[in-house]
Amino acid sequence: MTEYTRDDFERLIRDRSNWGRWGDDDEVGAINLITPEKRAAAARLVRSGRSVSLSMPFPTIPAPDNPRPAAHFMRINDRGSGAGAATDYYGVEYHGLICTHIDALSHTWDANGMWQGWKPEETITTNGARRGGIQNWRTGIVTRGVLLNVPASRGTAYVTADEPVHGEELRAIAKAQGVTPEPGDCLVVYSGRQHWNAENPPIGTRPVRPGLHASCLEYIRDIDCALIAWDMQDATPIVGGLPWSVHAAIHAFGVAIIDNCDLEDLAQACAVEGRHEFMLVVAPLIVNGGTGSPANPLAVF
Amino acid sequence: MTEYTRDDFERLIRDRSNWGRWGDDDEVGAINLITPEKRAAAARLVRSGRSVSLSMPFPTIPAPDNPRPAAHFMRINDRGSGAGAATDYYGVEYHGLICTHIDALSHTWDANGMWQGWKPEETITTNGARRGGIQNWRTGIVTRGVLLNVPASRGTAYVTADEPVHGEELRAIAKAQGVTPEPGDCLVVYSGRQHWNAENPPIGTRPVRPGLHASCLEYIRDIDCALIAWDMQDATPIVGGLPWSVHAAIHAFGVAIIDNCDLEDLAQACAVEGRHEFMLVVAPLIVNGGTGSPANPLAVF
Amino acid sequence: MTEYTRDDFERLIRDRSNWGRWGDDDEVGAINLITPEKRAAAARLVRSGRSVSLSMPFPTIPAPDNPRPAAHFMRINDRGSGAGAATDYYGVEYHGLICTHIDALSHTWDANGMWQGWKPEETITTNGARRGGIQNWRTGIVTRGVLLNVPASRGTAYVTADEPVHGEELRAIAKAQGVTPEPGDCLVVYSGRQHWNAENPPIGTRPVRPGLHASCLEYIRDIDCALIAWDMQDATPIVGGLPWSVHAAIHAFGVAIIDNCDLEDLAQACAVEGRHEFMLVVAPLIVNGGTGSPANPLAVF
Amino acid sequence: MTEYTRDDFERLIRDRSNWGRWGDDDEVGAINLITPEKRAAAARLVRSGRSVSLSMPFPTIPAPDNPRPAAHFMRINDRGSGAGAATDYYGVEYHGLICTHIDALSHTWDANGMWQGWKPEETITTNGARRGGIQNWRTGIVTRGVLLNVPASRGTAYVTADEPVHGEELRAIAKAQGVTPEPGDCLVVYSGRQHWNAENPPIGTRPVRPGLHASCLEYIRDIDCALIAWDMQDATPIVGGLPWSVHAAIHAFGVAIIDNCDLEDLAQACAVEGRHEFMLVVAPLIVNGGTGSPANPLAVF
């Protein structure tokens, strides 16, 4: 595996940026690759009708890897005559390492700016993002999903901190699995987070984290996917002290990211179904100016 | 149209209850009707790939019809070297009349109890519902959706308060539209809420509300749908002073309800596509013990 | 009454600013005037021991003048053997026009900056204020309070929108009441908000609001009070289109403001006790970087 | 030190209950002991004017002993012409072991009920407590505070888990300190929590906790105080497996409790001032039906 340096990273970001690719005013990014035809093709992948959730539970329980638990409060409303209703309040800072969520194009930036070069100081307000809000994906994401199973390829239970997943490894896994990622796909990378958590200090409790190496960014750009979904995130520390690693796909390529998936059921379903492609659906909440949304991504076979 | 009385309602609830239909321990209800085969058939409805959201925006803006606005707060995280991230907090009491959401089986009850006869005092705690929580639908809802367009049938812009939608009317509309609701479908009833709101005190600001008459409950049971989605809700006041009208479908039949949809785009899409059936997807957040979930339901043609 | 113009206002802000008065690094402002001696003198005002709250109830109820109600959720904790506890969650955006609260020095600014000339873009972060946070008043505010009763002086029930309270009027009222405000006092201005609300669209529902005229700022500076408390706030619209009127006391003079008091009980207590001075106590929550705090200010006679 | 058993505890609760002492409809409890005369006498204790906070900071920072951090969000409001305001949202589940707060009479119960024998199932709703809400103390608590310094008496830095503070020890400390608690006082018990936390797993992270023994309940009843304030709480596990230990003072005696104080400054102030009595002020937020309030209690010398 060739060394991947900070220079490689910065060259990639610069030379293969998607800024302007879908017009100068675009706020949709690589989700543009999901055309009606792409959606229809994704739906044609459904045969058995098996449906699988890629989501962890809404993180209401305090834990070392959940330092700011989501809020869940109940209210009981008496309607007389023995009738009633129970309602609840949900509150969550969903970004971070514990809540399954999708990142919008307003979520990240580096010194060169946000997606399309937007300046964060002009774009982000305390009332929400002026551009790239999650509402730009209001009609949802329905596309082909492709699972790459790293532990299965390695013959281990999970990715370890000292051996992050590299881009070339993903390329090789796809080939070995006999699946070809295509433009507009959702790349789903399974690294075995739940198995890691069972045997190690859970993801989110240590500064060193297993996950994907910055070199995956090039692979992501090569396959021209619209979004990625993963259980582990960018491995840390990041090569060359960069502020962002794979998450740079958001501001550089306009690619959406679904963080903190639980991919156990999906990996198993792929095994049972004997294929690694499926229809993937994400339906983010339409929060004007929101930088993402908690989500329950679905894979349907 | 025959008169529909409190007695008719109570007889229906009693004689055609679905309690026990899917086993005494069932917590899934009519969503059981959505088998893998049903999902696969729903996916086969996708042809053009047009995708439409059924959701109103997340209700963060105070308004007369939004007396408890959802919370949206932002946080900016500096990552050094000019890089950073924006994150946000979303908080919402989503039940009520302004937030698009799905009701779980733990949401409602009458004097006879909740779904399956569960007793609310044993089931509902301030830490969530012990049974019938939204997590029971964790793998999402992927089924056939059927839109019934009431205003188009009436030749008006919207349903009015003095002429609620009756069950027989829905039956007639389906026939006239040439669409046959089937078991496990999502029945989508368009009543023109957005047009009503443009010309009247908005839904949620007056005790008298336009919407569906209690007699629709019988139709819902007859067609054996798994869930319903609507823009207007139960018309109020309710016939015979009953505590619940169509919402009784939750505790009596185990039917899910998606409240407060915006169905303008869907009605238009049906007209353009020349059909009233489509694949409907709802992906509720997996909140253990939650009584529902905010949602962005999708229709794909 | 002489005309008070935008020029008068800007001259006052500029020429009589308190910036630097308590040192260049000061973050306490006019609360510095409340010395231990001042506190001891305030305590000596207590004779009958009558205690009065200046607070409205925590604003949990939706209403036209409460468009973003405070959150109040309950949790019941079973401890076994029939024992238990009830706990609750309180959440509030307390600034605005409905919650009784104190403003910290980090709350306001104009084109010249915040208190001491701090620049808002360097001072305010989404994680709190770097300077002038409410924690600077952690040991609480215990000082002499002086009530000026405007409606009693006018022979009316409340201040009206077309006749805001001017600085000269406050000076005359103090004299007529036989009370002399002194440095470090809390100036309490009663305008009859509750009576206004009973007969008019409540404060907070209309852009035109009764209250104090910008000329009061000069009076506030003349008497050198440490803080002010009031039921009505700055009258709007503000003279000369200024962004701030009396609230400029925060950034110009370092004066704290207690907004949205209910002064009915206090006005009555002053009448019964036959005096307009008392010990005033405010105990803000110690929120690091907070721009103020909800509060229940107390007057003790 | 005589053994203190479960029987002693239950006899005390039963035989020396304060139910009905201030009338059958009373919702104020032992705070009734703080008469106007008591307040006036408390104010007369103020001589130097030194003011001390008994509060820890509002617990916004995640930590092992803060598993559900308080929320603090900021909003920046542009007012044009370079002017603006910063506002914030505070949200907190204040009960527990990290937030300084006062417990109302609706907070606790045992098998015999709440204060006055109220039944929790009739009294506690998800919209608040029907009786004994914190609003009953709306005029605040102004009384004599008396600090008992346990570590100073023991010659240690803090109370340890294997040697909880007993009632007889408090009695002896008061005597040794030359201070006599009187009816209506606030008993302040300093146990050295901050020192404990510096050298041990912090309070709130282990089931075994240092603090006050159930026998203190008898002392509390003997001295007839109106409220207590402490840095450590009830020692756990509790004698005889009782659900409540010292916290039973709430439902048995109507005594208020201020939990999670930081008493370092107060202990030091007492040493400097050469006395252990002072004016204590608590100003709870007026939350209708609230089971308590976050607070910043003040001691003034």
Side-chain angles (χ1 to χ4, degrees):
Chain A
M1 202 165 292
T2 46
E3 184 75 14
Y4 193 88
T5 66
R6 181 172 178 134
D7 277 353
D8 295 328
F9 180 90
E10 294 188 332
R11 192 176 314 115
L12 177 76
I13 294 287
R14 187 182 61 238
D15 295 349
R16 301 189 62 196
S17 155
N18 276 330
W19 294 5
R21 178 173 169 189
W22 296 284
D24 287 348
D25 291 336
D26 173 72
E27 302 186 35
V28 174
I31 298 298
N32 279 297
L33 295 168
I34 307 176
T35 59
E37 295 71 30
K38 182 78 185 172
R39 281 188 213 108
R44 285 193 297 272
L45 294 173
V46 176
R47 292 192 294 265
S48 72
R50 178 193 299 266
S51 183
V52 172
S53 168
L54 281 61
S55 176
M56 299 207 287
F58 195 67
T60 56
I61 311 291
D65 61 345
N66 189 15
R68 294 187 186 273
H72 180 197
F73 298 111
M74 298 281 285
R75 213 181 280 283
I76 298 172
N77 303 298
D78 189 357
R79 290 174 77 95
S81 311
T87 65
D88 27 28
Y89 173 92
Y90 299 154
V92 66
E93 277 194 272
Y94 57 88
H95 286 289
L97 293 157
I98 195 70
C99 182
T100 307
H101 69 274
I102 184 166
D103 292 337
L105 296 182
S106 51
H107 176 46
T108 61
W109 59 86
D110 67 14
N112 296 315
M114 307 170 73
W115 169 242
Q116 299 270 49
W118 303 326
K119 296 182 180 176
E121 64 274 19
E122 293 171 358
T123 305
I124 305 299
T125 80
T126 53
N127 287 316
R130 290 207 178 97
R131 287 159 175 263
I134 189 69
Q135 77 277 11
N136 287 288
W137 300 334
R138 65 189 319 129
T139 57
I141 293 167
V142 179
T143 192
R144 178 185 182 233
V146 169
L147 179 82
L148 301 187
N149 189 324
V150 182
S153 161
R154 292 186 179 185
T156 57
Y158 50 81
V159 171
T160 55
D162 51 5
E163 196 179 353
V165 182
H166 281 252
E168 288 310 308
E169 184 177 11
L170 290 180
R171 201 181 305 268
I173 293 172
K175 192 169 181 183
Q177 288 185 182
V179 66
T180 308
E182 293 163 9
D185 278 359
C186 177
L187 174 70
V188 184
V189 182
Y190 171 65
S191 298
R193 173 174 173 158
Q194 272 64 30
H195 293 285
W196 163 278
N197 276 3
E199 298 181 13
N200 300 276
I203 301 275
T205 59
R206 294 288 187 283
V208 175
R209 289 203 307 262
L212 274 65
H213 186 265
S215 64
C216 294
L217 204 57
E218 184 164 357
Y219 178 68
I220 285 166
R221 184 66 186 82
D222 287 346
I223 64 173
D224 212 16
C225 62
L227 71 163
I228 64 176
W230 51 11
D231 51 355
M232 292 185 183
Q233 301 191 13
D234 325 62
T236 56
I238 300 173
V239 53
L242 284 161
W244 293 111
S245 165
V246 186
H247 262 80
I250 299 171
H251 46 271
F253 307 147
V255 164
I257 300 184
I258 308 177
D259 287 319
N260 308 317
C261 293
D262 179 337
L263 300 176
E264 293 304 315
D265 289 351
L266 180 60
Q268 194 167 3
C270 285
V272 173
E273 295 276 341
R275 53 177 170 137
H276 291 87
E277 60 175 7
F278 40 83
M279 178 178 74
L280 181 120
V281 184
V282 189
L285 300 178
I286 306 180
V287 183
N288 288 314
T291 69
S293 175
N296 178 5
L298 304 176
V300 189
F301 288 82
Chain B
M1 201 166 290
T2 46
E3 185 74 13
Y4 193 89
T5 66
R6 181 173 178 134
D7 277 353
D8 295 328
F9 180 91
E10 295 188 333
R11 193 176 313 115
L12 177 77
I13 295 288
R14 184 182 63 239
D15 295 349
R16 301 189 61 195
S17 154
N18 277 329
W19 294 4
R21 177 172 169 187
W22 297 283
D24 287 347
D25 291 335
D26 173 72
E27 302 186 35
V28 173
I31 299 296
N32 279 298
L33 295 169
I34 307 176
T35 59
E37 295 71 30
K38 181 78 185 173
R39 280 188 215 109
R44 285 194 298 272
L45 294 174
V46 176
R47 293 193 293 268
S48 72
R50 178 193 302 265
S51 184
V52 172
S53 167
L54 281 61
S55 176
M56 299 208 287
F58 195 67
T60 57
I61 311 290
D65 60 345
N66 189 15
R68 293 188 187 272
H72 180 198
F73 298 112
M74 299 280 287
R75 213 180 279 283
I76 298 172
N77 303 297
D78 189 356
R79 292 175 76 96
S81 311
T87 64
D88 27 28
Y89 173 91
Y90 299 154
V92 66
E93 279 195 90
Y94 56 88
H95 286 290
L97 294 158
I98 195 70
C99 182
T100 307
H101 69 273
I102 184 167
D103 292 336
L105 296 182
S106 49
H107 176 47
T108 61
W109 58 88
D110 66 16
N112 296 315
M114 307 172 70
W115 169 241
Q116 300 269 46
W118 302 327
K119 297 182 181 177
E121 64 274 19
E122 292 172 0
T123 305
I124 304 299
T125 80
T126 54
N127 287 316
R130 290 207 177 97
R131 288 160 175 260
I134 189 69
Q135 77 278 10
N136 287 288
W137 300 334
R138 65 190 319 130
T139 56
I141 293 166
V142 178
T143 194
R144 178 185 183 235
V146 169
L147 179 81
L148 301 188
N149 189 325
V150 183
S153 161
R154 291 187 179 185
T156 58
Y158 51 82
V159 170
T160 55
D162 50 7
E163 197 180 351
V165 181
H166 281 253
E168 288 310 308
E169 183 178 10
L170 290 180
R171 200 180 307 268
I173 293 173
K175 192 167 182 186
Q177 287 185 182
V179 65
T180 308
E182 293 163 6
D185 279 358
C186 177
L187 173 69
V188 185
V189 181
Y190 171 66
S191 298
R193 174 174 173 158
Q194 272 65 28
H195 294 284
W196 163 278
N197 276 3
E199 300 180 10
N200 299 276
I203 300 276
T205 59
R206 293 288 185 286
V208 175
R209 288 202 308 262
L212 273 66
H213 186 267
S215 65
C216 294
L217 205 55
E218 184 164 357
Y219 178 69
I220 285 166
R221 184 65 187 82
D222 287 346
I223 63 172
D224 211 16
C225 61
L227 70 162
I228 64 175
W230 50 10
D231 50 356
M232 291 184 183
Q233 301 191 13
D234 327 60
T236 57
I238 300 173
V239 54
L242 284 161
W244 292 112
S245 163
V246 186
H247 262 80
I250 299 172
H251 48 270
F253 306 146
V255 164
I257 300 184
I258 308 176
D259 287 318
N260 307 318
C261 293
D262 179 337
L263 300 176
E264 294 303 315
D265 289 351
L266 181 60
Q268 194 167 5
C270 285
V272 172
E273 296 275 343
R275 53 177 170 135
H276 292 87
E277 59 175 8
F278 40 83
M279 177 177 76
L280 181 120
V281 185
V282 190
L285 300 177
I286 306 179
V287 183
N288 287 314
T291 68
S293 175
N296 178 6
L298 304 177
V300 189
F301 287 83
Chain C
M1 202 166 290
T2 46
E3 184 73 14
Y4 194 87
T5 67
R6 180 171 178 135
D7 277 354
D8 295 328
F9 180 90
E10 294 187 333
R11 192 176 313 116
L12 177 76
I13 295 288
R14 185 181 64 239
D15 295 351
R16 302 189 61 195
S17 154
N18 277 330
W19 294 4
R21 177 172 168 188
W22 296 284
D24 287 347
D25 291 334
D26 173 71
E27 302 185 34
V28 174
I31 299 297
N32 278 298
L33 296 168
I34 307 176
T35 59
E37 295 71 30
K38 181 77 185 173
R39 281 188 215 109
R44 284 193 298 272
L45 293 173
V46 176
R47 291 193 294 268
S48 72
R50 177 194 301 264
S51 185
V52 173
S53 168
L54 282 60
S55 177
M56 298 206 289
F58 195 66
T60 57
I61 312 291
D65 61 345
N66 189 16
R68 293 188 186 274
H72 180 198
F73 299 112
M74 299 281 287
R75 213 181 279 282
I76 298 171
N77 303 297
D78 188 356
R79 292 175 75 96
S81 311
T87 64
D88 28 27
Y89 174 91
Y90 299 154
V92 66
E93 279 194 271
Y94 56 88
H95 286 290
L97 294 158
I98 195 70
C99 182
T100 306
H101 69 273
I102 184 167
D103 293 336
L105 297 182
S106 50
H107 176 46
T108 61
W109 59 87
D110 65 16
N112 296 314
M114 307 172 72
W115 170 241
Q116 300 270 46
W118 302 327
K119 296 181 181 177
E121 64 274 20
E122 292 173 359
T123 305
I124 304 300
T125 81
T126 53
N127 287 316
R130 291 208 177 96
R131 288 159 176 261
I134 189 70
Q135 78 277 11
N136 287 288
W137 300 335
R138 67 189 318 130
T139 56
I141 294 167
V142 179
T143 192
R144 178 184 182 235
V146 169
L147 178 82
L148 302 187
N149 189 324
V150 183
S153 161
R154 292 186 179 186
T156 58
Y158 51 81
V159 170
T160 54
D162 51 5
E163 196 180 353
V165 182
H166 281 254
E168 288 311 307
E169 184 179 9
L170 291 180
R171 201 180 307 268
I173 293 172
K175 192 167 180 184
Q177 288 184 182
V179 64
T180 308
E182 292 164 9
D185 279 359
C186 177
L187 174 68
V188 184
V189 181
Y190 171 66
S191 299
R193 173 174 173 158
Q194 272 65 28
H195 294 284
W196 163 278
N197 276 3
E199 299 181 9
N200 300 276
I203 301 275
T205 58
R206 293 290 185 284
V208 175
R209 288 203 307 262
L212 274 65
H213 185 267
S215 64
C216 294
L217 204 56
E218 184 163 356
Y219 178 68
I220 285 166
R221 183 65 187 83
D222 287 346
I223 64 173
D224 212 16
C225 60
L227 70 162
I228 64 177
W230 50 10
D231 51 356
M232 292 185 182
Q233 301 192 12
D234 327 61
T236 56
I238 300 173
V239 54
L242 284 161
W244 293 112
S245 163
V246 186
H247 262 80
I250 298 172
H251 47 271
F253 307 147
V255 164
I257 300 184
I258 308 176
D259 287 319
N260 308 319
C261 294
D262 179 338
L263 301 176
E264 294 303 314
D265 288 351
L266 181 59
Q268 194 168 3
C270 284
V272 173
E273 296 276 342
R275 53 176 170 136
H276 293 87
E277 60 174 8
F278 40 83
M279 178 177 76
L280 181 121
V281 184
V282 189
L285 300 178
I286 306 180
V287 183
N288 287 314
T291 68
S293 174
N296 179 4
L298 304 177
V300 189
F301 287 83
Chain D
M1 201 167 292
T2 46
E3 184 75 13
Y4 193 88
T5 67
R6 181 173 177 131
D7 278 353
D8 295 329
F9 179 91
E10 294 187 333
R11 192 176 312 115
L12 177 76
I13 294 288
R14 186 182 62 238
D15 296 350
R16 301 189 62 196
S17 154
N18 277 330
W19 294 4
R21 178 172 168 189
W22 296 284
D24 287 347
D25 290 334
D26 173 72
E27 302 185 36
V28 174
I31 299 297
N32 279 298
L33 295 168
I34 307 176
T35 58
E37 296 70 32
K38 182 78 184 174
R39 282 188 213 109
R44 284 193 298 271
L45 293 173
V46 177
R47 292 191 295 266
S48 73
R50 178 193 300 265
S51 184
V52 173
S53 168
L54 280 61
S55 177
M56 299 208 287
F58 194 67
T60 57
I61 312 290
D65 60 345
N66 189 16
R68 293 188 188 272
H72 180 197
F73 299 112
M74 298 281 285
R75 213 182 278 283
I76 298 173
N77 303 297
D78 189 357
R79 291 176 76 95
S81 312
T87 65
D88 27 28
Y89 173 91
Y90 299 155
V92 66
E93 277 195 272
Y94 57 87
H95 286 290
L97 294 158
I98 195 69
C99 181
T100 307
H101 69 273
I102 184 166
D103 292 337
L105 296 182
S106 50
H107 176 47
T108 61
W109 57 87
D110 66 16
N112 296 314
M114 307 172 72
W115 169 242
Q116 299 269 49
W118 303 326
K119 297 182 181 177
E121 64 274 19
E122 293 171 359
T123 305
I124 304 299
T125 80
T126 53
N127 287 315
R130 290 208 177 96
R131 287 160 175 261
I134 189 68
Q135 77 277 10
N136 287 289
W137 300 334
R138 65 191 318 131
T139 56
I141 294 166
V142 179
T143 192
R144 179 186 182 233
V146 169
L147 179 81
L148 301 187
N149 189 323
V150 182
S153 161
R154 292 185 179 186
T156 58
Y158 51 80
V159 171
T160 55
D162 51 5
E163 196 179 353
V165 181
H166 281 254
E168 289 310 307
E169 184 178 10
L170 290 180
R171 200 181 306 268
I173 292 172
K175 192 168 181 183
Q177 288 184 182
V179 65
T180 308
E182 293 163 8
D185 279 358
C186 177
L187 174 69
V188 185
V189 181
Y190 171 67
S191 298
R193 172 173 173 160
Q194 273 64 29
H195 293 284
W196 164 278
N197 277 3
E199 299 181 11
N200 300 276
I203 301 275
T205 59
R206 294 289 186 282
V208 175
R209 288 203 307 262
L212 274 65
H213 185 267
S215 64
C216 294
L217 204 55
E218 184 164 358
Y219 178 67
I220 286 166
R221 184 64 186 83
D222 286 347
I223 64 173
D224 211 16
C225 59
L227 72 163
I228 64 176
W230 50 11
D231 50 356
M232 292 183 182
Q233 301 192 14
D234 327 60
T236 57
I238 299 173
V239 53
L242 284 160
W244 292 113
S245 164
V246 186
H247 263 79
I250 299 172
H251 47 270
F253 307 147
V255 164
I257 300 184
I258 308 176
D259 287 318
N260 307 318
C261 293
D262 179 337
L263 300 176
E264 294 303 315
D265 288 351
L266 180 61
Q268 194 167 3
C270 284
V272 172
E273 296 276 342
R275 53 176 170 136
H276 293 86
E277 59 174 8
F278 40 83
M279 177 177 75
L280 181 119
V281 184
V282 189
L285 300 177
I286 306 179
V287 183
N288 287 314
T291 68
S293 175
N296 178 5
L298 304 177
V300 189
F301 288 83

